[in-house]
Amino acid sequence: MNKLDTALVSSALKDAGFNLTESVKEADVVLINTCSVRQHAEERVLSHLGHLKHIKESRPDMVVAVIGCMAQRLGDKLLEHEAVNIVCGPVQLPQITELLTKALQQKKKELAVTQKIRRKTPRQQDQALEQFESAYGIGDRRIPGQAFVRAMRGCNKFCTYCVVPYVRGPELSRPPRAIIEQIKKLADQGVKQVTLLGQTVNSYKYKSGQRSYCLADLLDMAGNIEGIEWLKFVTNYPAEEFFDEILHVIADSPKVCPYLHIPAQSGSDKILHAMNRRYTAQWYLSLLDKARDIIPGIAIAGDFIVGFPGETDEDFEATVDLVKKARYRNCFIFKYSPRPGTKAETRLQDTVPAEVKQRRNIELLAVQEKISGKLSAEFLGKEVKILVEGLSKKPHLNAAEGDDNPQLLGRTATDYIVVFNGQQSLAGQFAKVKIIKTSPLTLFGQLT
Ligand code: 5AD
Ligand code: SF4
């Protein structure tokens, strides 16, 4: 979601005549797009701001804007920071060029956030967001051939640990026509893979006259757009709502990738209840069984939080047990971080000591690594189709000795990372690669 917002903002700024630079030293304007989901993410922003304050001592005209979730969460408190000129929340992003131009001319501090974030977004603001999205909807161009498209904004689930409903506001599904038009435009520009985004994208719902659209309808319509080859969607909330429809569209449409990111968060029913996740571990596992019945070979990924208030060794063991049974292709594991204003923060004590959280994190990672390793190894000797992203950022041990081409990285439809040697011009193209080596998170191969 943040990558998409960054792409939209940088497109808007480019259109307004700004040029992008990678170097802070050269910049007249610095924007920091922020995340509030864990304290660590916010701490990193504050440390950047400390650095910028230092730079501003010799360059007082430099304008610094903090945008996104942390801007919405902290508002005027953040504006008090010496380094900060502009604080702009996610809903106000369409105003960003105007705010920057004003700050550059008038040298005043500017605050643009929503006072009552859980109120329905006013129509005018909604239209501005919609216009911003479609005008600059060219997606994330840093990865050629791919783009993100927002299906939904906000969240109404209120998991007790989560800050998102308080910073991104109420759930709202975008009109299917706007989404499909946007994807057509992207396809015309050479985009081959679109990822539909929403905090709980499987609950996408839009009523237009007599007709009601769900995510499966969107995927079906997008699959008919010429030029679009792969469709992905993140992230899913484990719920019955529309789930069968989604599984069937994956099974029936060759363009919808057989990959499901569906966070469980915990394997203990007691903790799930305290998190306000509305399912049991067993029900969640039965959902995965159903997905595998309908789509053999589907890759499933998840998220977990360890060290939620009240999590005992027994609760944690239930999580380990669920991870073993779920056979994820991979999962993301986070240590619980109390977020101000959430129910878990205001009503529960952060009882699990830091070292216990750390230990559980490492243990769960190790359990998953074993599973990922086994699943990866099944690819040995097989040929896979990938969409090439570009140069591999961290050079892996050279899989193909004697090949002078640079190391590239691509992903399969099931989101496996594949590293191989090839010409850089392959970025944005599909390629076939034979897998010759595997590790838990990466497949290594050779172009066939
Ligand atoms: N502490 C730790 N992890 C969190 N997540 C969300 N809120 C918190 C929090 N307060 C994790 C969840 C979610 C992912 C995006 O971040 O696992 O799925
Ligand atoms: Fe946060 Fe829960 Fe909404 Fe996901 S579903 S964004 S974890 S409140």
Side-chain angles (χ1 to χ4, degrees):
M1 207 55 104
N2 269 9
K3 280 189 186 171
L4 171 59
D5 284 342
T6 301
L8 294 176
V9 166
S10 59
S11 307
L13 294 181
K14 265 194 236 166
D15 271 26
F18 290 84
N19 288 316
L20 272 177
T21 169
E22 292 296 321
S23 152
V24 174
K25 286 201 188 99
E26 266 179 21
D28 300 311
V29 171
V30 175
L31 290 107
I32 308 182
N33 193 9
T34 58
C35 171
S36 286
V37 108
R38 281 171 292 276
Q39 195 184 342
H40 179 65
E42 293 200 344
E43 277 164 5
R44 278 171 45 207
V45 172
L46 293 175
S47 131
H48 275 305
L49 287 177
H51 182 59
L52 288 170
K53 182 182 149 212
H54 195 66
I55 297 180
K56 278 182 97 169
E57 279 164 14
S58 54
R59 299 183 41 215
D61 286 342
M62 187 164 98
V63 168
V64 173
V66 181
I67 62 175
C69 294
M70 196 176 162
Q72 174 60 41
R73 195 179 83 73
L74 294 172
D76 45 9
K77 270 188 244 143
L78 202 54
L79 202 62
E80 282 168 16
H81 193 291
E82 266 177 87
V84 178
N85 301 82
I86 294 170
V87 170
C88 175
V91 178
Q92 284 74 18
L93 289 180
Q95 298 165 28
I96 191 70
T97 29
E98 200 185 305
L99 291 167
L100 282 176
T101 313
K102 235 163 122 185
L104 282 163
Q105 286 166 356
Q106 300 173 1
K107 313 264 171 279
K108 273 200 324 227
K109 290 205 178 214
E110 301 283 345
L111 176 69
V113 293
T114 305
Q115 287 315 322
K116 296 215 156 64
I117 190 78
R118 290 304 306 172
R119 285 231 180 116
K120 191 171 177 293
T121 320
R123 216 177 128 80
Q124 216 181 358
Q125 220 161 21
D126 229 20
Q127 280 170 345
L129 274 168
E130 205 35 64
Q131 214 175 14
F132 184 65
E133 197 110 36
S134 49
Y136 300 112
I138 56 163
D140 186 347
R141 279 327 180 84
R142 283 172 302 178
I143 305 182
Q146 301 190 15
F148 292 121
V149 170
R150 201 175 335 252
M152 296 170 77
R153 289 189 256 278
C155 186
N156 287 353
K157 289 283 188 275
F158 288 98
C159 304
T160 54
Y161 51 81
C162 184
V163 78
V164 170
Y166 306 98
V167 285
R168 287 215 174 246
E171 188 179 295
L172 184 109
S173 293
R174 294 181 62 209
R177 204 157 42 128
I179 296 171
I180 297 302
E181 282 309 312
Q182 200 176 348
I183 301 177
K184 278 189 186 150
K185 229 165 63 181
L186 290 163
D188 288 344
Q189 294 167 5
V191 166
K192 298 185 174 78
Q193 176 185 294
V194 162
T195 304
L196 291 172
L197 299 182
Q199 306 295 346
T200 59
V201 72
N202 55 320
S203 41
Y204 176 88
K205 191 162 45 183
Y206 192 92
K207 241 181 117 95
S208 170
Q210 291 302 309
R211 239 207 105 166
S212 180
Y213 295 83
C214 68
L215 182 73
D217 297 319
L218 268 190
L219 290 167
D220 194 39
M221 290 189 285
N224 289 326
I225 297 172
E226 211 181 301
I228 297 298
E229 298 287 333
W230 279 1
L231 287 161
K232 295 181 175 174
F233 53 98
V234 281
T235 190
N236 296 280
Y237 185 92
E240 200 69 79
E241 219 188 358
F242 303 131
F243 206 70
D244 287 3
E245 286 90 330
I246 294 168
L247 294 181
H248 282 111
V249 83
I250 302 177
D252 297 343
S253 164
K255 299 205 173 161
V256 183
C257 294
Y259 169 79
L260 202 59
H261 179 254
I262 186 158
Q265 310 295 3
S266 171
S268 149
D269 291 345
K270 180 191 98 189
I271 297 295
L272 286 171
H273 183 72
M275 286 176 162
N276 191 30
R277 303 286 288 185
R278 305 154 196 192
Y279 50 87
T280 61
Q282 202 179 359
W283 186 84
Y284 174 86
L285 285 170
S286 70
L287 210 61
L288 301 195
D289 284 346
K290 192 199 266 183
R292 288 185 166 118
D293 272 353
I294 299 177
I295 313 141
I298 191 170
I300 296 174
D303 291 357
F304 286 89
I305 296 175
V306 292
F308 186 81
E311 186 187 71
T312 60
D313 284 344
E314 209 182 354
D315 295 317
F316 175 66
E317 282 314 313
T319 298
V320 171
D321 192 49
L322 185 141
V323 167
K324 285 181 181 163
K325 288 181 175 144
R327 283 172 293 126
Y328 294 110
R329 165 226 162 315
N330 78 331
C331 58
F332 303 94
I333 301 161
F334 306 102
K335 288 177 274 187
Y336 170 68
S337 162
R339 305 313 296 133
T342 60
K343 275 200 183 148
E345 190 267 345
T346 51
R347 300 194 188 163
L348 304 171
Q349 279 207 346
D350 186 12
T351 48
V352 181
E355 59 277 14
V356 177
K357 285 181 185 166
Q358 177 72 357
R359 187 157 24 90
R360 290 179 183 168
N361 192 358
I362 293 170
E363 189 182 329
L364 200 56
L365 273 172
V367 170
Q368 179 55 40
E369 196 171 289
K370 251 196 191 159
I371 299 166
S372 295
K374 272 193 197 149
L375 291 174
S376 289
E378 290 175 9
F379 283 90
L380 210 58
K382 293 200 177 132
E383 189 186 78
V384 293
K385 180 182 171 182
I386 57 166
L387 182 55
V388 182
E389 296 190 356
L391 285 178
S392 158
K393 275 191 203 119
K394 43 172 190 192
H396 295 264
L397 274 183
N398 204 342
E401 267 169 44
D403 192 330
D404 292 334
N405 283 314
Q407 212 167 49
L408 303 180
L409 182 146
R411 270 173 210 264
T412 66
T414 47
D415 210 48
Y416 276 88
I417 296 170
V418 180
V419 172
F420 64 103
N421 289 72
Q423 288 177 1
Q424 224 176 315
S425 57
L426 280 175
Q429 310 289 325
F430 286 102
K432 294 235 166 101
V433 173
K434 187 177 171 197
I435 303 306
I436 54 172
K437 202 175 103 182
T438 66
S439 75
L441 290 180
T442 315
L443 308 177
F444 301 88
Q446 279 169 345
L447 282 170
T448 60

